[in-house]
Each structure stands twice: as structure tokens, then as C-alpha cells.
Amino acid sequence: MSSPYCLNLPLNAVSFGSVSFALTRELFKRGELPPIFPLFGQSPDDSAQRPDPDFVQKQNACINSADQRWSRDGKTFCLWHVRGSLNSYSKQGNHLLTFHELDQLTPTEINVLKQQSKVYVTSNFSKGVFSQYGIDAEYLPIGFDSHNFQSLEKRPSIDGVIQFLLPGKAESRKGTYQVLRAWAKRYGNNAKYRLNCAIHNPFLPIERLNAMLNEALGGQRYFNIQFLPWAPTNATYNVTLQSSQIVISMSGGEGRDLPCYHATALGAWPVAMRAHAYTDYLNDDNAVLVSPNGKRPAADGVFFASNSPFNSGNFFSFDDDAFITACEEAEKRVLSKGLNTNGLELQKLGYQQAVDILLRDLKG
């Protein structure tokens, strides 16, 4: 007997993979064992996940039996970018979950999205953007990955030092280089402060990344800015996210920003943009928010290009002084309140609600 739906997912070690594993894990908890087709036929890479032999056994069984159990008359849930999402294991197109980061859709993106049987987005901002172009997308709330992340009994700390964390991919979209410049100007070589940079980008040659970081810091060295090694597992990253009292999340465009969400849910105080996906889970009680001072073109010569058929538009921008003022406010909260107990509330949103919505649509 064929299944009413299948999964077409990127089972890898980056953010899309993390969400794919978390959604699949929640489905397994409910006794669902759908056919799974790893995106592009790639072998699953669960190296970043906490070991879970039972999960892996079920996952492999769902993958190995997929060709025998699947019919194109069923529905397909796919998690991927708009680009590359036209292929489907269903006659009906995909139920597509996509992370969108810009304030516009291109004509090509509009056409691709119209070929899907259903579109989900991970922020209400993206839902609004899609609506402007006639795409009826549904907000799919994803939250805390409790399998991979847990509060530590004792957080890493240095007496008398306020530690900031700058996580995520190093790129212009996330404000990485602007944040580095502004933070170094205000706090650089001040022993009372430290900036822990968990910033990497597997899509950039390491030589180019290092050159861009060096340029952002004006070629200077700061003893209180340290670049952390790549965390190969979520267990290691769990410690990284709790290494600092303040997490910097000044991205100009996000579909969700999992490092920010998890760091906040684990007790850090975020300094974040009052914009896009952040407004779905951050507020004035659990974060120090910086209002954008406008928008800037997304084109960066690396990941976003002008007049491209995909990923063309604008990001939100911010003022350096407003960012530093927010950092100073976050420091006050650390000293007066300690752990961000309001942020811990974000652990209550896991993947249950998202799977409720998916099963409603895929089995209905």
C-alpha cells in the first residue's frame, strides 16, 4: 500500500538539514514513516546531529523502501530554495517550505512558486511579501530543537567580562563586517569585553573569507576579538551558543535565523534588528531591538546579484550608533537581570505545531 505523501529533504549538516531532521524526528514520534527521498539523491549526513540510532534506523528504512512504496499520485513535501524546487515526486507539484530573505519576488520566482501545490514560509514577513505578488503562502512556525540543544548546568563565563557572540554565516546580508567594524571601534582591546565570533561560510574559500574579515577590522588585531573554530556537531555548538551573555543578530534579511533563536532560547540577550523574521519571536521583553534606518540593495558580488532571476531585492540596514546603543542596553540587562528568562520561553515552541500543519495538508 502506497503512502499518501513522501518527503524530499536536504538531509545535510547545515541549517536546511537541521530543520529537515527536526521535522522528520517529530513525524517519527507520531508513528509516521513516510517514504523519504533525500534531495538530489545525496546520502544523509547526520554528522552534526546528536547520536540517535533508533532515528537513523527508521530514516534509512524510509529511504530504502521509498521506491517501492511511492506513487506520484501522492503528495510531496519539499524543503528547499525557490530555485531548484520545480522537480517533484508528485503529479501535483510540491508542498514547498522555503526560507526567503528579501523584500521582493522576481517574475521567475513568482512563476516557480505558482507551480507548487502549496507554499510555506518561516516568517510572517515573507508571507506578506509573497502575498504582494499573489502567492498565498502559509506561515509554518519552527522553533527550538530540543534533541540537539539543552541548557547547560553551568554556562562558560569569565569573571568581570561581558561576552558577546557573533554567530552565523559570514556575509554582508547578516551585517557581519559592519558589526565587526562597529564593535571593534567601541569595545576593541577593552579587557572588560570579548567578542566571540562563530562565523564561517562554507561557500567561500577560506582565503577570501579571511581577507574580508581582515578588511572589516582595518587590518588590525584585537586581543578581545576571537574567531572560534568551526563547530562540527550541534553538541559543540550548544556550548558555543551559551558561551556569551549577548548574541548579536543584526542580519538585514532572515527566513528564521536558527542561531539567534536557539541562543535566545538558551538564555542569551539578543541585540537584533526590529525587522523580518526576528519580529515573530523577539520583542522588547526578550531582546534589545534596533529599528532599521532604511534598506540596501542585496547585491553583494558573492551570493546576491542585481537583476538576477532569483534572490534579487533589498535588505534592511542599520546605523552603527544605534547598534552600539543597543549593545550598551544589553549589557545593562546582563548586569541587572542575568540570564534572559524571557528568552527561555522560546523553548516551548518546538516542531509540533509545524508538523500539525503539514499532516493536515499532506494527509487531508
Side-chain angles (χ1 to χ4, degrees):
M1 181 177 178
S2 62
S3 171
Y5 70 96
C6 73
L7 308 179
N8 186 206
L9 303 173
L11 300 173
N12 55 36
V14 295
S15 58
F16 271 26
S18 294
V19 175
S20 296
F21 285 118
L23 288 170
T24 305
R25 184 170 285 107
E26 179 62 25
L27 285 167
F28 288 173
K29 287 179 182 178
R30 302 186 188 199
E32 298 285 324
L33 296 171
I36 298 176
F37 296 95
L39 209 66
F40 309 123
Q42 297 175 340
S43 298
D45 178 6
D46 62 354
S47 59
Q49 299 288 303
R50 286 186 182 272
D52 186 348
D54 181 64
F55 173 84
V56 172
Q57 181 181 22
K58 290 177 179 176
Q59 173 188 263
N60 290 342
C62 289
I63 293 172
N64 294 334
S65 65
D67 289 339
Q68 302 170 34
R69 299 167 55 209
W70 183 236
S71 166
R72 290 183 62 83
D73 292 328
K75 299 175 181 178
T76 296
F77 171 67
C78 177
L79 193 168
W80 196 238
H81 306 281
V82 177
R83 177 187 294 191
S85 67
L86 279 175
N87 293 335
S88 178
Y89 285 89
S90 172
K91 295 177 182 177
Q92 307 169 45
N94 290 315
H95 282 58
L96 175 69
L97 171 60
T98 191
F99 292 65
H100 195 261
E101 299 151 346
L102 297 159
D103 65 343
Q104 299 175 13
L105 289 174
T106 69
T108 300
E109 289 171 327
I110 294 168
N111 183 55
V112 171
L113 289 167
K114 286 183 175 179
Q115 310 312 311
Q116 314 295 336
S117 57
K118 175 86 178 185
V119 177
Y120 307 98
V121 290
T122 53
S123 79
N124 279 299
F125 173 77
S126 293
K127 176 180 169 67
V129 171
F130 282 34
S131 178
Q132 293 174 21
Y133 294 88
I135 305 299
D136 184 19
E138 182 168 358
Y139 171 51
L140 193 77
I142 59 174
F144 189 72
D145 180 358
S146 59
H147 175 76
N148 285 293
F149 299 96
Q150 298 89 30
S151 296
L152 300 172
E153 290 187 11
K154 181 174 175 56
R155 297 170 68 97
S157 64
I158 303 174
D159 288 343
V161 177
I162 298 292
Q163 297 199 79
F164 292 76
L165 175 68
L166 179 60
K169 288 202 300 292
E171 57 174 298
S172 175
R173 168 175 67 93
K174 289 181 172 289
T176 306
Y177 310 110
Q178 184 179 353
V179 163
L180 280 172
R181 284 191 295 270
W183 196 94
K185 182 179 179 181
R186 169 64 177 83
Y187 299 105
N189 291 330
N190 186 330
K192 295 181 179 179
Y193 304 93
R194 175 173 292 187
L195 179 62
N196 299 311
C197 299
I199 49 176
H200 305 274
N201 198 320
F203 306 103
L204 278 178
I206 189 63
E207 296 80 11
R208 184 170 186 181
L209 174 59
N210 288 338
M212 294 171 76
L213 295 174
N214 185 61
E215 180 182 358
L217 293 173
Q220 297 187 50
R221 299 282 183 179
Y222 296 89
F223 71 80
N224 63 340
I225 298 179
Q226 66 170 350
F227 293 92
L228 304 178
W230 169 256
T233 68
N234 284 322
T236 302
Y237 202 48
N238 184 55
V239 178
T240 298
L241 292 178
Q242 297 177 74
S243 67
S244 308
Q245 301 104 317
I246 300 168
V247 59
I248 298 174
S249 306
M250 293 299 295
S251 177
E254 286 292 337
R256 196 62 174 173
D257 196 341
L258 296 180
C260 172
Y261 191 99
H262 284 85
T264 307
L266 292 166
W269 287 97
V271 171
M273 193 89 78
R274 192 188 297 273
H276 51 80
Y278 292 143
T279 60
D280 287 322
Y281 56 89
L282 298 181
N283 53 57
D284 291 322
D285 293 326
N286 66 11
V288 182
L289 298 175
V290 181
S291 296
N293 67 348
K295 291 184 178 180
R296 56 186 173 87
D300 59 5
V302 183
F303 302 105
F304 298 87
S306 300
N307 302 315
S308 170
F310 295 93
N311 292 328
S312 184
N314 303 286
F315 296 132
F316 291 96
S317 58
F318 65 91
D319 176 74
D320 286 357
D321 290 338
F323 163 64
I324 292 301
T325 297
C327 288
E328 292 170 347
E329 171 59 26
E331 179 186 357
K332 292 177 182 177
R333 295 198 192 184
V334 169
L335 295 175
S336 64
K337 299 182 178 182
L339 197 69
N340 183 359
T341 54
N342 289 326
L344 297 177
E345 293 295 308
L346 294 180
Q347 292 190 26
K348 294 179 179 178
L349 176 62
Y351 282 76
Q352 297 90 339
Q353 188 175 344
V355 168
D356 285 344
I357 294 170
L358 292 179
L359 289 178
R360 177 201 70 194
D361 295 340
L362 295 171
K363 299 183 76 172

